[in-house]
Amino acid sequence: MNFEILAPAGSKEALIAGVRCGANAVYLGGKSLNARRNAGNFNDEELKNAVQYCHARGVKVYLTLNTLCRDDELADALELAEYALSVGTDGFIIQDIGVAAAIRQALPQAKLHASTQMSLISPAGVAAAKEMGFSRAVLPREMTAAEIAEIRKSTDLELEIFVHGALCMSVSGQCYLSAMLGGRSGNRGLCAQPCRLSFSADNSGGFDLSLKDLSLIRDLKEIGDLGVISLKIEGRMKRPEYVAAAVTAIKKAIDGELFAEDEQRLRSVFSRSGFTQGYFENKMGAPMFGTRQKDDVVAAAGVLKELSHFYDNENPLVPMDIDFVCLAGQPCRLTASALGKTVSLEGDIPEAAINKPMSWESVCERLSKLGGTQFYAGKVTAEVGEGLIVSAAKINAMRREAAEALSSVEETEVTRLPFELPAPKAERVGEMYYTARFADAAQIPDKHNFRRIFIPIWSANEDFVDNRAGVEIPRGLFGAEDKIRERLLQLGKIGVTKALCGNLGSYKLAQSLGFEAFGDFGLNVFNSASAAKFNAPILSFELELSQANSIASPDAGLIVYGNLPLMLTRNCPIKSSIGCESCGKNGTLTDRKGIKFPVKCSPYPCVEVLNSVPLYMAERMGEVKTAFAHFYFTNESRAQIEKTLSLYEKGAEADFKYTRGLYYRGVY
């Protein structure tokens, strides 16, 4: 099996551990604009040294530029990308579509990898990423083997999947829990992991949002058959010993040399009540859930010292071919090749041997002594004239000089093209208009002033016709693209023309079928460059209001009312805990403070965890400057919706508990 083992490098020590244990590539972050801002990370000089260290050992380096960026941060993102390219960085892991567009335009030689936070969960989504210039897709951890196979058949992009490490409860890129509860955004690299705290379906104080860690080390043959080329290890916040254990175990599994002790060591260094393969094997439910227990912590203490010795010393990772020529009357010559480079060195003129002359065997033996370096002897040849001698010290010096020369890394010449940062938006042209989504057509008032309304794709045909509604396509398209396509074709035949799309795949699919596609909040539109990629996008509700108002889009909108979705999850926490029968489609999760969060299921693969109280902006609407305002109706009755619309018409204060969301407090 020919895989790339991709190791996390949250620190210099973790990078060294991964490389010395056999990783083929590492991923790391700069000091900002990466999804693990609390890791050690690398400043400019450290990044340069890291790339040089890795390249000298045949290891690639991918930089994580995988957070959502504001307009005022795009220039910084480009500057970091340009510098990283100049020191030889091999690729960039990107979440933000605007950042990807800027890098593609300004730095066309950059290789872009679509982060798992882009939620590429369908063939159409991967196709959209390819059109945007991505060369690799990092697929979500929630995908089954069959769904990965479906994507592999549809694209020639490189595919990368996570094979070991923590599992988020939410689909990556679609979690707003940490941001809404504490202002620390996972999409901005500061997730506080509140899901690891108590959220229980039965109000018991359980942990129904905490999954076990993933481990697919026993599934590598099947993964190889699926056409995946890169095996990614999660864990830039983990210690070097964890990286060493994971890389070593995966390398052994690839070589067919994985033993029970390796797996036990891996579980000991970090696990949450063991590991799971549930998503990959399409076996979801209660067995996938787990928390960090005292036994897990105690087990780690027993293996850390042992694991630290895995990367104590330089390991011979790279073959070096050497040819040595030593003939009478001319300087001896050494030619060495490794890492795609060749160096030639000239030494002293040999002398006539007084006692024992050199032999080609003795010279080859000396040249093969590459201990203490990252090299090992590949093909070593020597041509030695009779009766000659060159001191051992001088041959050793030539060998060392060759190794040093082959280890050097030259900076890359970067072509920087112009990129115009979008100017702040001018004043809104015309009056603001309203749009809405309804969870059920029965909620729609007889009279309303919404320019566009959307109802879920599974709604009855007559509901679309009677309400002249557009279709809301679910964000969780796992394995459902053909089903979605068939339903959209049916809706098109009865006159539905508009589609609200919260996923790259659904947006591309709707467009390909002739629908007028509109961008929903799940696209995480955070800046003017990303807003320009979509029709009338609903901006991210993680933006501050002033930031949203300045997005340079002629027709962007903002959610101004609703119980905002905090998680999109494939593994229903209610079903896994108390079962669907006890839920009755009205499940809630109760946190440690007694606050209840509604959980909404659907006929499609995912459920949504909603905020406990609605976003409410009625008396502050004069401060919203976007072209339109969007209402996100979920659990409300028609009467409640009519009351809400009346309050907004009057600009009145609410007589119920509500939140302003993040519009005034922002996220870190």
Side-chain angles (χ1 to χ4, degrees), residues 57-259:
R57 288 151 183 82
V59 174
K60 292 183 177 180
V61 177
Y62 305 135
L63 184 72
T64 57
L65 267 171
N66 57 342
T67 62
L68 301 180
C69 292
R70 304 186 304 263
D71 276 353
D72 62 295
E73 294 171 322
L74 285 175
D76 292 338
L78 274 179
E79 184 178 341
L80 176 55
E82 182 178 10
Y83 174 78
L85 267 181
S86 74
V87 299
T89 300
D90 299 284
F92 298 88
I93 303 172
I94 307 289
Q95 174 190 9
D96 192 310
I97 292 168
V99 172
I103 292 177
R104 187 185 185 192
Q105 180 175 329
L107 303 166
Q109 71 202 87
K111 185 177 181 181
L112 304 183
H113 296 185
S115 168
T116 186
Q117 291 169 282
M118 282 184 66
S119 307
L120 301 180
I121 53 183
S122 68
V126 174
K130 182 177 180 180
E131 290 177 1
M132 292 178 178
F134 288 93
S135 60
R136 177 182 293 192
V138 186
L139 299 182
R141 285 162 276 193
E142 299 79 22
M143 299 193 75
T144 68
E147 291 158 359
I148 295 171
E150 180 185 25
I151 285 180
R152 175 72 288 165
K153 291 176 184 177
S154 73
T155 185
D156 59 358
L157 285 191
E158 296 176 353
L159 297 184
E160 173 182 308
I161 68 169
F162 285 88
V163 295
H164 190 82
L167 283 175
C168 295
M169 185 65 183
S170 175
V171 176
S172 295
Q174 302 300 312
C175 185
Y176 311 97
L177 184 69
S178 179
M180 292 299 296
L181 297 190
R184 292 179 55 179
S185 168
N187 286 319
R188 295 275 292 166
L190 284 177
C191 179
Q193 299 186 16
C195 54
R196 300 296 181 186
L197 301 174
S198 175
F199 285 85
S200 58
D202 57 1
N203 200 20
S204 65
F207 296 84
D208 294 333
L209 290 180
S210 182
L211 295 175
K212 294 177 180 177
D213 280 20
L214 167 74
S215 188
L216 300 180
I217 291 177
R218 287 290 181 185
D219 299 290
L220 297 190
K221 184 182 184 306
E222 183 177 1
I223 290 170
D225 292 341
L226 291 172
V228 172
I229 68 159
S230 183
L231 309 177
K232 189 170 194 173
I233 301 165
E234 184 278 336
R236 282 195 290 135
M237 298 292 289
K238 299 288 200 317
R239 57 193 307 152
E241 294 90 342
Y242 168 90
V243 177
V247 172
T248 299
I250 293 172
K251 188 170 179 61
K252 285 188 172 185
I254 291 172
D255 295 337
E257 299 173 354
L258 183 70
F259 299 108

Side-chain angles (χ1 to χ4, degrees), residues 14-63:
L15 181 143
I16 291 172
V19 171
R20 287 185 174 176
C21 289
N24 308 104
V26 300
Y27 64 103
L28 50 80
K31 288 296 184 181
S32 62
L33 305 179
N34 80 87
R36 291 293 182 270
R37 284 161 59 192
N38 281 335
N41 296 318
F42 296 77
N43 62 29
D44 285 357
E45 189 63 25
E46 291 166 341
L47 174 61
K48 178 180 179 179
N49 293 337
V51 173
Q52 290 179 341
Y53 177 87
C54 290
H55 283 188
R57 288 151 183 82
V59 174
K60 292 183 177 180
V61 177
Y62 305 135
L63 184 72

Side-chain angles (χ1 to χ4, degrees), residues 469-484:
V471 55
E472 179 194 51
I473 303 177
R475 288 180 288 156
L477 296 180
F478 295 99
E481 186 170 292
D482 289 342
K483 183 179 178 182
I484 295 288

